[in-house]
Amino acid sequence: MRIYNTLQIGDFHTHYCEDFLIIENLSETQKIIAVLDGCSMGKESVFASMLYGKILRSIAKKEFYKDFVIKEKETTSLQDTLKSILHQLILEVKKIQQQLDITTHELLSTLILGVIETKKNIAEVLVIGDGLVACDGEFHDFEQEDKPDYLGYHLQENFEEWYKKQNQRVTFTKFKDFSICTDGIFAFKNLKKPTDQKSEKEIMEYLLIDTNGEGFDNFLDRKIKILKEKWNHIPTDDIAIIRIKV
């Protein structure tokens, strides 16, 4: 299993990349992956995506250590693992929000959260807000008409009741090629020659299906560089992609 990633600042963003990504081990056979996209209309939106990402990274490290020291391990489904991680994330964010007197508008970020069973090639994914999930040539576009239902809006709600309403979920079994990415993948533009603009489908297939160059560790970075230098296509919005190939 090879895991590729790329994080790029959009050409229309001048100060910060508001997207973020993490890839961490939960155990010897499980990984957590996530891509996040801070709300440009929020306050200091880069903060929210980085905060969530760093908390998720901390949770993963604690879970990995727990798995390492406990000899008799309980069997937990990927669905339950993902739910537990998300609950821990919300509890930690609420603590920090109270400690730093942070407003809701400072905590707006989309989140695509996945848990991977590496030996069985199973993935459980939850999308909060918008973004794209791809698996073996099939695309799952979670579009909320530029009005994402950010996690930050629901921090004070009863977690169990809120979680039951989350229907942007996908499960993949025995996958060969699996990706998650923020909606920046839809923002590639040919600004030099708009008449040669590639379609969204062509961009998605090139980044999430095409395998040319997969032997390089910077596989996705190279593909984005080729899009820019050979085809004059640049990401006008920030973009974060994680692609896993078996």
Side-chain angles (χ1 to χ4, degrees):
M1 180 176 285
R2 296 195 67 171
I3 302 180
Y4 309 96
N5 70 85
T6 188
L7 180 65
Q8 305 278 335
I9 186 171
D11 201 60
F12 291 175
H13 287 188
T14 56
H15 297 295
Y16 303 106
C17 177
E18 297 170 357
D19 287 10
F20 199 74
L21 62 81
I22 70 157
I23 304 163
E24 294 289 340
N25 291 320
L26 289 173
S27 69
E28 292 183 357
T29 61
Q30 289 187 353
K31 289 182 180 293
I32 178 179
I33 60 173
V35 293
L36 306 101
D37 178 8
C39 171
S40 295
M41 300 302 292
K43 186 177 180 181
E44 298 165 346
S45 53
V46 63
F47 172 76
S49 58
M50 292 184 69
L51 175 65
Y52 292 153
K54 289 181 179 294
I55 292 174
L56 286 170
R57 184 177 291 157
S58 175
I59 291 170
K61 290 179 178 179
K62 291 175 183 176
E63 291 295 323
F64 185 81
Y65 178 75
K66 189 189 304 181
D67 179 81
F68 178 77
V69 299
I70 297 175
K71 294 182 179 180
E72 295 183 5
K73 302 177 178 62
E74 296 182 4
T75 302
T76 306
S77 69
L78 289 189
Q79 292 91 339
D80 288 342
T81 298
L82 188 150
K83 179 181 177 182
S84 173
I85 290 171
L86 183 60
H87 194 197
Q88 292 180 64
L89 169 64
I90 290 176
L91 291 176
E92 290 300 318
V93 171
K94 288 169 68 174
K95 288 180 185 177
I96 294 173
Q97 182 180 25
Q98 185 176 31
Q99 290 170 351
L100 300 182
D101 193 23
I102 299 171
T103 67
T104 297
H105 279 80
E106 294 174 274
L107 293 172
L108 302 184
S109 175
T110 65
L111 169 63
I112 302 181
L113 180 63
V115 178
I116 311 296
E117 178 60 59
T118 57
K119 289 189 176 181
K120 297 180 181 179
N121 304 341
I122 302 173
E124 184 71 26
V125 182
L126 174 65
V127 180
I128 303 174
D130 54 20
L132 181 70
V133 180
C135 186
D136 298 328
E138 182 179 354
F139 298 112
H140 302 263
D141 177 15
F142 296 91
E143 169 59 45
Q144 298 188 335
E145 299 179 355
D146 293 326
K147 296 180 180 179
D149 189 22
Y150 295 109
L151 180 62
Y153 291 148
H154 305 283
L155 297 176
Q156 307 306 321
E157 295 180 20
N158 178 278
F159 175 77
E160 292 294 337
E161 293 180 3
W162 170 80
Y163 191 78
K164 289 177 183 177
K165 300 175 185 176
Q166 302 312 300
N167 56 13
Q168 295 191 156
R169 310 183 195 199
V170 282
T171 303
F172 302 115
T173 58
K174 298 182 180 179
F175 67 82
K176 299 294 184 183
D177 195 342
F178 162 65
S179 304
I180 60 174
C181 51
T182 57
D183 67 354
I185 196 168
F186 301 117
F188 280 84
K189 301 296 181 184
N190 187 336
L191 300 179
K192 291 185 177 180
K193 194 174 181 181
T195 54
D196 289 341
Q197 174 70 40
K198 290 184 177 294
S199 67
E200 291 181 352
K201 184 178 180 182
E202 289 176 302
I203 298 294
M204 291 189 296
E205 289 178 346
Y206 181 65
L207 292 174
L208 308 181
I209 295 179
D210 182 75
T211 59
N212 186 34
E214 65 180 341
F216 295 97
D217 290 337
N218 61 344
F219 173 48
L220 291 175
D221 289 332
R222 290 169 63 91
K223 294 181 87 64
I224 289 180
K225 185 176 181 182
I226 290 171
L227 279 170
K228 179 180 180 180
E229 296 182 352
K230 187 175 181 179
W231 305 108
N232 295 321
H233 280 66
I234 59 172
T236 57
D237 190 12
D238 304 334
I239 182 172
I241 304 175
I242 298 173
R243 182 173 174 182
I244 302 174
K245 284 186 60 59
V246 179

